[in-house]
Amino acid sequence: MTFQPVIMPILLVVLFAPLVFIVVRALITAKSARQRGLWSTRALLVALCFAMLLRPGIAGTPTQTVATNTDIYLVVDTTASIVAEDWGDGEPRLSGIRDDIAELVTEYAGARFSFITFASTAEVRLPLTTDSSAVMSSLAVMRPETTSVSRGSDIGAASATLERVLTAAAESTADRSRMVFYFGDGEQTSSRDPKSFVDSAELVDGGAVFGYGTTEGGPMKVTSGYATDSPDDSYIEYEGEIALSVLDEENLQTIADDLGIELQVRDAGSTVQFPAAPRSSMTLANSETAGGIFDLSWILAIAVSLIVAWELLRATMMTTQLRGLKATSRAEQRAEDEGSHV
């Protein structure tokens, strides 16, 4: 049995002490069995309310959770090209990235995940966590770069950030392996040369570069930064024509070579291939509370509701009876008054 009181127990005692005094005094001074029965019910109501506010519960049954010694870093391109409509049947590339990451999280169950996005600059959206639902939630609310502030795509914008987080992880948990998965189209439209990922290579034990898009290219809707799935109805234009974002496989291969991992060019009709986690060991950890706490306060709440309902019903019946008695008394009084005038 566990307790999770809504407020400090000592405050509960202070708040309920006057009520306990009232019902105990009423029970002692009760002059009939009926009165003692009524106040006993009210004493039970006070006791149930006190117990309910203590929030009793039963700990969940022991379970086993899966854990591995692998850290996985997801590096995702969030430039305007992420919504280029050349994935599957005219869907944005982001749809393919979401599907692949969902499979990846399942494939490496028990690993820790970190989520990094980049456009003109890079941002760590999610630090290392074993909560896979947090990864998918971060991905679901991810926004592409706003078209009006875009300064072109820089495929190496995340290189320094990735090196920093990998270095910190290697220093704090040297016994864990680290995998990097890069998601993008490889299109470099920024005027500066892309930064290399080679400085991170010695910190990476595996992973892959996933490429999205086609050589024919896909049109990109204007993005406002407010909704990933509902961009503006108009398309980005260049020199009076609808601009197309194309896959640059050569740039993606360079990133893969820098990191020492393989490149996979993705399309909606193919199955993604995940590399094995290096030096990964799976462990089963016992958790007494993994099943959560089964809250019993709702049972007490039902009992409190029943007693309160009975008290309200009794009060209603008494009020009805009193009104009937008053009506009868008034009728009798009128009859007496009429008789006295005869």
Side-chain angles (χ1 to χ4, degrees), residues 12 21 50 52 123 127 129 153 156 159 161 163 166 181 186 196 198 228 232 239 265-266 282 295-296 307 309 330 342:
L12 280 177
F21 173 78
F50 182 81
M52 181 177 65
E123 178 183 357
T129 178
S153 301
S159 60
T161 300
E163 182 186 2
L166 287 173
F181 290 89
S196 173
V198 70
T228 316
D232 194 288
E239 296 182 350
V265 176
R266 300 285 298 116
M282 184 174 68
D295 196 341
L296 298 176
I307 294 175
R330 285 195 294 268
V342 175

Side-chain angles (χ1 to χ4, degrees), residues 19 36 53 58 102 120 126 140 150 166 178 200 207 231 237 253 264 280 302 310 316-317 323 332:
L19 295 176
R36 283 192 293 272
L53 294 177
I58 301 175
S120 56
L126 189 69
S150 176
L166 287 173
R178 291 167 293 280
S200 297
E237 295 185 359
Q253 187 62 60
Q264 287 187 49
S280 178
I302 292 175
W310 165 248
T316 302
M317 292 173 62
R323 287 176 178 174
E332 291 177 349

Side-chain angles (χ1 to χ4, degrees), residues 80-87 90-93 187 213-214 216-223 231-237 241-246:
S81 61
I82 200 68
V83 293
E85 298 172 346
D86 57 359
W87 174 264
E91 295 182 63
R93 295 169 185 171
E187 186 178 40
T214 59
E216 295 80 12
M220 301 162 286
K221 285 186 177 179
V222 174
T223 55
D232 194 288
D233 287 336
S234 58
Y235 286 89
I236 298 174
E237 295 185 359
E241 300 289 337
I242 294 179
L244 298 177
S245 171
V246 298

